[in-house]
Amino acid sequence: MSTYKPSFQSGDRVTLHGVKVPGMNGLQGNLSHFLVDEDRWEVDMDEGYALKVFARNLSFEMKTGDRVALHGLNSKQMNGRIGTVANYFPEQSRWEVELDEDEVTVKVLRKNLKHIHERQIRFFEGDRVILRNLKMKELNGKTGNITQYIADEGRWEVELDEDEEYEGGGDLVKVSPNKLEHENYITKMRYSSILQ
């Protein structure tokens, strides 16, 4: 079995090709993580399910309009910032990204960008959330506030309410977006209006 990990990274936007299953070629998704024991990438497909795919059956996709998070930058305060790909400058090998928060534009290398699916960014710093369907059962149902998005891990950091701390842990937990729900209807409505 190969132990070579291809030059993809978690969060990359990919297209399937050369897959023998009918109807799969041309479908797109985001890389979740590399499965070393199986020599495959787990891909979160746009259709809402996950597939295990060999690297040879994936091609990297990045284009203007893609939603991305910055990571791995020396300027630590920039890491985790979310924005939209605006342009590519081949002579510099850099992508231009318009950041959401303050309309700043930055130019960064591809290795410093992670694709983000809209379901990953439906939360905002300060949002009230409930933790759901976690393997650590004692965390399910706990509430807290979103503090930041951790692009390298594809997770949101949640500061649990003071009375919600759990035994064996602190008051900060890192949670996948699909394990979070908005605590109130108003926040959900804010998200809906942004996507329209």
Side-chain angles (χ1 to χ4, degrees), residues 124-127 145-149 156-159 172-173:
F124 299 86
E125 289 183 16
D127 279 358
N145 293 313
I146 296 281
T147 59
Q148 66 175 323
Y149 182 70
W156 286 96
E157 183 179 78
V158 178
E159 182 176 10
L172 291 174
V173 293

Side-chain angles (χ1 to χ4, degrees), residues 73-92:
L73 295 168
N74 291 333
S75 178
K76 301 294 183 198
Q77 72 272 16
M78 296 298 286
N79 292 324
R81 306 266 310 264
I82 295 170
T84 303
V85 173
N87 205 347
Y88 180 65
F89 295 90
E91 66 281 357
Q92 300 171 354

Side-chain angles (χ1 to χ4, degrees), residues 80-125:
R81 306 266 310 264
I82 295 170
T84 303
V85 173
N87 205 347
Y88 180 65
F89 295 90
E91 66 281 357
Q92 300 171 354
S93 299
R94 282 178 166 65
W95 290 91
E96 183 179 60
V97 179
E98 295 175 356
L99 299 177
D100 290 354
E101 294 161 21
D102 46 16
E103 299 179 13
V104 169
T105 301
V106 295
K107 292 180 184 174
V108 294
L109 296 169
R110 184 194 88 68
K111 69 177 185 176
N112 298 117
L113 296 174
K114 287 196 181 249
H115 273 104
I116 312 220
H117 193 280
E118 284 299 333
R119 69 177 179 261
Q120 289 177 291
I121 57 169
R122 68 175 185 246
F123 301 103
F124 299 86
E125 289 183 16

Side-chain angles (χ1 to χ4, degrees), residues 39 50 64 125:
D39 199 27
T64 58
E125 289 183 16

